[in-house]
Amino acid sequence: MSNVRVHISVSADGYVAGPNQSRENPLGEGGESVHEWWIALKAWREAHGMEGGEVNASTPVAEEVMANVGAEIMGRGKFGGGPGPWSDDWQGWWGDDPPFHKPVFVLTHHEREPLTLSDTTFTFVTGGIEPALDQAREAAGEKDVFIGGGADVINQYLAAGLVDVLELHIVPVVLGGGARLFDGLGPGLALEQVRAVEAPGVTHVKYRVAG
Amino acid sequence: MSNVRVHISVSADGYVAGPNQSRENPLGEGGESVHEWWIALKAWREAHGMEGGEVNASTPVAEEVMANVGAEIMGRGKFGGGPGPWSDDWQGWWGDDPPFHKPVFVLTHHEREPLTLSDTTFTFVTGGIEPALDQAREAAGEKDVFIGGGADVINQYLAAGLVDVLELHIVPVVLGGGARLFDGLGPGLALEQVRAVEAPGVTHVKYRVAG
């Protein structure tokens, strides 16, 4: 059976985005620094049609993150467009050729028709995290479902016991505030460490979520 | 020159002790689980006069943690005895032969004469973190000063830019509350990842604190 997977870059103090997120600054103050290890990689650049980039100990981790994913679920914040009813003008942060190349399910309180940009179709789900996962599983088939964030979405899926694999890419950055992974979660969440990988400017720690 | 070092076990969600710390439960609910990797080690058991224990990838990390430390600074919580003026009856959590074997400086708001138990002398410092560090540095000589916790004491030293080395022993445990490392710290704290070590049930990530 396919897995539900989270792979997320976090600051040393546990934030996945910095304070004061906005349309101008979607990752919040300092939030971009959490992803620097990733966008420097050749594996990331190739997946986004760019040349060059680094090959290092993060490369096999990044390749594993991107492999065998059949669908992604994301929150409204990651798709963007601010709160409230949709404006059809807003087609996401991700441009005309979004980097997902697979079905994406966007959690929202406001209905909207599906949006197809290049080979990515965004489906807007208003029923909550469980119906979104049902749809994503069906779209993914034998492949895995990736929970793409933000922190609130990941925390909801963790709290509901619906995540199988959780990998943290821990970077040597202190954000001091923002969107915190694990916020509101309790000791009922049982983790088993699968592996840890030292890489330049980041440590990858992979857990299996047991309950 | 000697270094000021922090080595601290933290849950995956960033807590060094669980919620509801008390005299009966000094590490808070679930807090003992954060230290299991450590007390299972032969290196730890030998240092506490016990036999047996594991030798694994954590062993060289533990040996490094314990080596070349000339003095320790701890908060009132780690020494124990509750808030308010001291009762001389309270001689700490640590028994007649405390495991420190070096000068210990206890941060407190309440004066107390030094207390010697076996080869450990506890000196009570009421002037705050900087005088405590001055005294600890002098006692340590060429050796390093270890900031032993709890989280509030570590956070104060980090905020003041007085820590050189910060090592997190990150365990696959979610505490859901308690004493949080990095609480109240801001992006002015610059970390440089020195190394990461995968070990059974824990990942050791060592940082140099740059500012």
Side-chain angles (χ1 to χ4, degrees):
Chain A
M1 178 154 162
S2 71
N3 282 312
V4 177
R5 292 160 38 193
V6 172
H7 305 264
I8 186 86
S9 295
V10 297
S11 64
D13 55 342
Y15 295 96
V16 308
N20 301 316
Q21 289 175 268
S22 66
R23 185 153 172 169
E24 291 69 39
N25 197 4
L27 296 173
E29 292 164 13
E32 289 177 10
S33 60
V34 172
H35 302 277
E36 279 173 7
W37 71 273
W38 175 240
I39 62 178
L41 291 181
K42 183 171 192 285
W44 183 87
R45 295 176 63 85
E46 276 182 352
H48 292 74
M50 298 160 76
E51 303 205 338
E54 297 172 19
V55 176
N56 61 35
S58 287
T59 298
V61 175
E63 288 171 348
E64 188 186 90
V65 166
M66 294 187 289
N68 199 43
V69 176
E72 173 165 343
I73 296 172
M74 65 177 63
R76 170 100 186 227
K78 183 166 177 179
F79 183 76
W86 292 102
S87 156
D88 286 344
D89 293 344
W90 179 259
Q91 305 217 326
W93 301 112
W94 306 98
D96 295 335
D97 185 21
F100 306 105
H101 313 298
K102 63 181 69 69
V104 173
F105 297 86
V106 179
L107 290 161
T108 171
H109 296 293
H110 301 276
E111 291 188 5
R112 179 173 177 175
E113 292 298 307
L115 171 69
T116 298
L117 295 169
S118 180
D119 61 350
T120 298
T121 294
F122 296 93
T123 299
F124 301 88
V125 182
T126 57
I129 63 169
E130 297 199 24
L133 182 54
D134 290 342
Q135 290 183 58
R137 276 193 198 279
E138 187 169 335
E142 297 293 305
K143 292 188 174 180
D144 294 339
V145 174
F146 181 79
I147 310 293
D152 58 337
V153 170
I154 294 169
N155 291 342
Q156 286 180 60
Y157 277 101
L158 286 169
L162 295 171
V163 176
D164 300 299
V165 173
L166 170 63
E167 185 166 38
L168 308 184
H169 315 298
I170 305 171
V171 299
V173 165
V174 175
L175 290 177
R180 194 158 74 83
L181 196 67
F182 295 116
D183 199 23
L185 294 178
L189 186 69
L191 304 177
E192 178 192 338
Q193 182 176 301
V194 175
R195 67 147 193 240
V197 175
E198 175 187 31
V202 60
T203 300
H204 309 281
V205 186
K206 186 173 172 181
Y207 301 107
R208 180 154 280 279
V209 187
Chain B
M1 178 157 163
S2 72
N3 281 314
V4 177
R5 291 160 39 193
V6 172
H7 306 264
I8 186 87
S9 294
V10 297
S11 64
D13 55 343
Y15 295 96
V16 308
N20 301 316
Q21 289 174 268
S22 66
R23 185 152 172 172
E24 291 70 36
N25 197 3
L27 296 173
E29 292 165 11
E32 288 178 11
S33 61
V34 173
H35 301 277
E36 278 173 8
W37 71 272
W38 175 240
I39 63 177
L41 290 181
K42 184 171 192 284
W44 184 88
R45 295 177 63 85
E46 277 182 351
H48 292 74
M50 298 160 77
E51 302 203 342
E54 297 172 19
V55 176
N56 61 34
S58 287
T59 298
V61 175
E63 289 171 347
E64 188 186 270
V65 166
M66 294 187 290
N68 199 45
V69 176
E72 174 165 343
I73 297 171
M74 65 176 63
R76 171 103 187 226
K78 183 167 176 178
F79 183 76
W86 292 101
S87 156
D88 286 343
D89 294 343
W90 179 258
Q91 304 217 326
W93 302 112
W94 306 97
D96 295 334
D97 185 21
F100 305 105
H101 313 299
K102 62 182 69 70
V104 173
F105 297 86
V106 180
L107 290 161
T108 171
H109 295 293
H110 300 277
E111 292 188 4
R112 178 173 178 173
E113 291 298 306
L115 170 68
T116 298
L117 295 170
S118 180
D119 61 350
T120 297
T121 294
F122 296 93
T123 300
F124 300 88
V125 182
T126 57
I129 62 170
E130 297 199 24
L133 183 54
D134 291 342
Q135 289 183 58
R137 276 193 198 279
E138 187 169 337
E142 297 292 305
K143 292 187 175 181
D144 294 339
V145 173
F146 181 79
I147 310 294
D152 58 338
V153 170
I154 294 170
N155 290 342
Q156 285 180 60
Y157 278 101
L158 286 169
L162 295 171
V163 175
D164 300 300
V165 173
L166 170 63
E167 184 167 36
L168 308 184
H169 315 298
I170 304 171
V171 299
V173 165
V174 175
L175 289 177
R180 193 159 73 82
L181 196 68
F182 294 117
D183 198 23
L185 295 177
L189 185 67
L191 304 177
E192 178 192 338
Q193 183 177 300
V194 175
R195 67 147 193 239
V197 175
E198 176 188 29
V202 60
T203 300
H204 309 281
V205 186
K206 185 173 173 181
Y207 301 106
R208 180 154 281 278
V209 186

